[in-house]
Amino acid sequence: MPAPRLPLSRFRVLDLTAHRAGPTCARQLADWGADVIKIEPPASLDDEPGGGLIGKRHGSDFQNLHRNKRSLTLNLKQAEGRAIFFRLVETADVVLENYRSDVKTRLGVDYEACRKVNPRIVYGSIAGFGQDGPYATRPGVDQIAQGMGGLMSITGLPGQGPVRVGIPIADLTSGHFLAQGVLIALLDREHTGEGQWVHTSLLEAQIAMLDFQGSRWLMDGEVPGQAGNDHPTSTPTGVFPTTDGTVNIAAAGDRLYRRLCEALGRPDLITHPDFDDTGKRRRNRVALNQAIAAITATMSSAEVVALLTRAGVPSGPIYSIDQTFGDPQVQHLGIARQVEHAELGTLGVVGQPINLSAAPQPATLRMPTPELGEHSDVLLAELGYDAAAIAALRAQNVI
């Protein structure tokens, strides 16, 4: 039985990215069928043989990040390496890179250089701070963007000082935003016949993710602070104690608040003069949370969740990662997927959260992360290089 057709299978992507932000974009395209060619420096040029920010090649992080790609080693600092790259550009649809903004130009693989070879190319870039401006050439990584993008100032308990969130959110969101931008440009190409340069940055992505917290400043002139586990503006929404741990409860708005109070046996809290409208509940958040906590603390987490679910109030347990993947709904959703690796065996990876009826989830994991240069010979043969020419390129450290 042939494998299901995937939506992006008609596109070829040249992936020059490293670290996490750019590879996240490439993974999105690869998972949905694009022929992603991961272009990497030859082993002789590897300046981090012990593993960089993403760890060793056979580690869980690297394997989760680079599945569904083919690997070609190529030394872009050599003329012959660039010549091979541009031969690939001729028939490619997308080039992805996340160098510092000036590096691609020094290497001679920038958008204008690619556009001269193929005017239909969509060129996707991620930088730390943008492609121009006073910080354009500064090195930027996720934690720096979290700090400069305002996120660390609103994360954590009030008064405890700035706190980094537990995932590389600027890396991940910039990668997803770039994937979205690339797809927009490919759709636009259907009308114009030409590609374009699509770019974002860790800083822009982080600021965009501030969303309503950003608009509180831009529109209302309010500087948000740390709210800990409470929702910054909606009350009561937060973490409450139980006999065996804690639960999340989200009962913002009058309707949900009434349901919560009735379910907990405290209808008096509905008309209490300190809590009878949303503004008062926000101002008197501490006292209201204490009243709710006094009740939930006498019940188990499962009892609280069951009670509030019957009442139609959003609530849920607070899991460790192993508990998350052990939850029956998570298992039903099938977001934990497996891929077979020739050396490492069966690997568990995080699947796609997007579901398409015509492209079932199992089809999105076709290949494990490749070994370094695993597909170099095949790809060069497709370009017309014979075995002797490939051996010569390898001897010269071009591949």
Side-chain angles (χ1 to χ4, degrees):
M1 182 177 178
R5 178 194 62 81
L6 287 170
L8 303 183
S9 59
R10 66 188 184 277
F11 297 116
R12 171 171 280 192
V13 178
L14 306 182
D15 177 16
L16 298 174
T17 67
H19 308 306
R20 189 181 307 277
T24 296
C25 172
R27 179 178 61 189
Q28 286 301 102
L29 304 178
D31 278 2
W32 292 108
D35 177 19
V36 176
I37 301 172
K38 179 173 171 53
I39 297 175
E40 308 180 73
S44 60
L45 299 181
D46 185 3
D47 59 357
E48 290 184 301
L53 293 175
I54 311 304
K56 294 183 178 180
R57 196 175 198 93
H58 284 181
S60 59
D61 195 357
F62 199 100
Q63 291 294 314
N64 185 62
L65 188 56
H66 293 289
R67 74 274 185 115
N68 290 329
K69 305 174 186 178
R70 296 193 288 170
S71 174
L72 167 68
T73 51
L74 207 56
N75 185 352
L76 294 176
K77 294 181 179 180
Q78 290 196 31
E80 185 60 35
R82 289 192 298 276
I84 294 170
F85 170 74
F86 284 116
R87 288 183 64 177
L88 290 167
V89 170
E90 290 175 6
T91 57
D93 298 282
V94 178
V95 172
L96 300 176
E97 62 85 22
N98 63 340
Y99 301 119
R100 271 193 278 179
S101 62
D102 57 333
V103 172
K104 56 186 167 291
T105 304
R106 292 206 311 266
L107 286 174
V109 296
D110 55 283
Y111 171 60
E112 288 301 325
C114 292
R115 182 173 176 271
K116 289 177 183 177
V117 173
N118 180 359
R120 289 175 55 80
I121 204 74
V122 171
Y123 192 99
S125 298
I126 297 177
F129 303 101
Q131 296 298 316
D132 48 32
Y135 302 162
T137 59
R138 281 173 56 170
V141 296
D142 176 87
Q143 186 148 342
I144 308 306
Q146 285 195 34
M148 293 179 66
L151 181 63
M152 292 173 68
S153 74
I154 56 173
T155 303
L157 299 172
Q160 83 174 104
V163 175
R164 174 192 182 276
V165 302
I167 58 171
I169 190 169
D171 279 343
L172 296 174
T173 53
S174 62
H176 285 280
F177 284 142
L178 185 62
Q180 179 182 356
V182 165
L183 295 175
I184 292 169
L186 288 171
L187 286 171
D188 193 48
R189 191 179 72 173
E190 295 179 2
H191 293 282
T192 66
E194 294 189 354
Q196 58 185 293
W197 186 16
V198 182
H199 54 86
T200 187
S201 66
L202 303 188
L203 185 58
E204 288 169 286
Q206 183 59 82
I207 293 170
M209 292 300 292
L210 291 177
D211 197 66
F212 78 95
Q213 294 280 52
S215 69
R216 289 173 70 186
W217 163 249
L218 294 173
M219 195 175 300
D220 303 330
E222 181 181 0
V223 179
Q226 293 168 307
N229 288 319
D230 292 320
H231 188 281
T233 59
S234 300
T235 302
T237 297
V239 174
F240 296 88
T242 65
T243 58
D244 56 356
T246 51
V247 294
N248 274 316
I249 299 175
D254 290 337
R255 181 172 56 181
L256 288 178
Y257 179 63
R258 284 196 300 271
R259 292 179 183 175
L260 173 69
C261 295
E262 289 167 355
L264 295 180
R266 290 293 307 273
D268 59 296
L269 293 176
I270 300 172
T271 56
H272 192 290
D274 289 341
F275 312 132
D276 60 4
D277 67 36
T278 56
K280 292 179 181 178
R281 290 195 289 274
R282 183 179 175 187
R283 289 192 296 274
N284 298 305
R285 180 201 304 266
V286 173
L288 179 56
N289 284 353
Q290 289 174 345
I292 297 169
I295 304 167
T296 63
T298 67
M299 308 165 66
S300 71
S301 296
E303 288 171 335
V304 172
V305 171
L307 175 69
L308 296 186
T309 297
R310 287 193 298 270
V313 177
S315 63
I318 299 174
Y319 286 152
S320 58
I321 300 298
D322 57 324
Q323 292 172 322
T324 294
F325 285 105
D327 183 273
Q329 180 65 25
V330 175
Q331 293 181 346
H332 170 78
L333 293 172
I335 196 167
R337 306 230 45 96
Q338 292 183 337
V339 65
E340 296 298 325
H341 191 284
E343 292 188 35
L344 302 176
T346 302
L347 303 178
V349 294
V350 181
Q352 281 287 337
I354 300 167
N355 298 282
L356 302 181
S357 61
Q361 274 281 6
T364 63
L365 280 171
R366 307 175 307 285
M367 300 184 294
T369 292
E371 296 299 297
L372 180 66
E374 180 178 337
H375 304 98
S376 294
D377 289 15
V378 171
L379 288 165
L380 290 171
E382 290 176 3
L383 292 176
Y385 289 87
D386 60 23
I390 293 172
L393 291 170
R394 187 164 281 114
Q396 298 163 19
N397 287 326
V398 174
I399 63 172

